[in-house]
Amino acid sequence: MNQKLLNGTTIKFDEKKLEVYNTKINASKIYENYNYILSNHLSLLSFINDFKNSEDAKYIENENEAIMELSRKNENRYIAKEILKIDKHTGTPKSLEIQDNTQKLLVYILYSEIKINDEPEEILANNI
């Protein structure tokens, strides 16, 4: 997908409704009864749930960030490892990388703004 189109995109998830909104083109799409957010490899919620339940998860810290690595041993050769980097000073995600079984970078998400609420509606990612 075109990077310019992704700029200004906000993704909100509330119960079973997923809303994708783009401020640059003033367009939105709402998915009712969206049950797939917890099985989506691009979702932070999915990553955190999988990380907690995995025997192949690693947690590494350096001075500025916490790094959560999740190795996936499954039939999907295109998703072998996921790496979430978290800013230790703010406690917010910085980036999510997805690599294939040859360690080739397939997906790189850089979080420029993210808000996580305890309220029913959560902003999952905002790319400005």
Side-chain angles (χ1 to χ4, degrees):
M1 186 175 278
N2 187 330
Q3 175 63 32
K4 290 181 182 181
L5 185 60
L6 288 175
N7 288 344
T9 301
T10 300
I11 302 168
K12 294 181 183 180
F13 181 62
D14 179 12
E15 297 293 320
K16 292 188 176 200
K17 180 175 81 174
L18 178 73
E19 179 180 4
V20 180
Y21 179 73
N22 188 301
T23 58
K24 302 281 186 194
I25 60 174
N26 197 27
S28 68
K29 175 72 175 171
I30 296 175
Y31 301 91
E32 296 288 341
N33 298 315
Y34 191 81
N35 298 318
Y36 306 104
I37 193 71
L38 293 177
S39 64
N40 184 335
H41 291 287
L42 301 179
S43 162
L44 287 174
L45 294 174
S46 176
F47 178 87
I48 297 300
N49 284 334
D50 292 347
F51 185 87
K52 285 196 259 184
N53 296 318
S54 174
E55 295 176 8
D56 295 318
K58 292 182 193 174
Y59 180 83
I60 305 163
E61 285 190 36
N62 62 34
E63 188 175 322
N64 296 317
E65 57 189 15
I67 302 166
M68 301 168 72
E69 292 185 9
L70 179 60
S71 296
R72 298 204 178 263
K73 295 181 178 157
N74 58 26
E75 68 282 349
N76 187 343
R77 65 184 173 132
Y78 297 108
I79 300 175
K81 183 186 266 188
E82 295 178 59
I83 303 167
L84 178 66
K85 295 183 181 177
I86 301 169
D87 185 308
K88 284 178 63 174
H89 304 292
T90 64
T92 57
K94 292 172 55 177
S95 65
L96 177 66
E97 299 176 12
I98 299 176
Q99 300 174 354
D100 69 7
N101 60 356
T102 65
Q103 297 182 337
K104 178 181 175 188
L105 184 62
L106 298 176
V107 176
Y108 180 78
I109 301 171
L110 178 63
Y111 299 104
S112 58
E113 179 182 343
I114 188 161
K115 297 176 188 174
I116 301 173
N117 301 323
D118 291 331
E119 300 170 12
E121 178 179 270
E122 294 187 31
I123 295 179
L124 299 178
N126 188 358
N127 184 1
I128 298 176

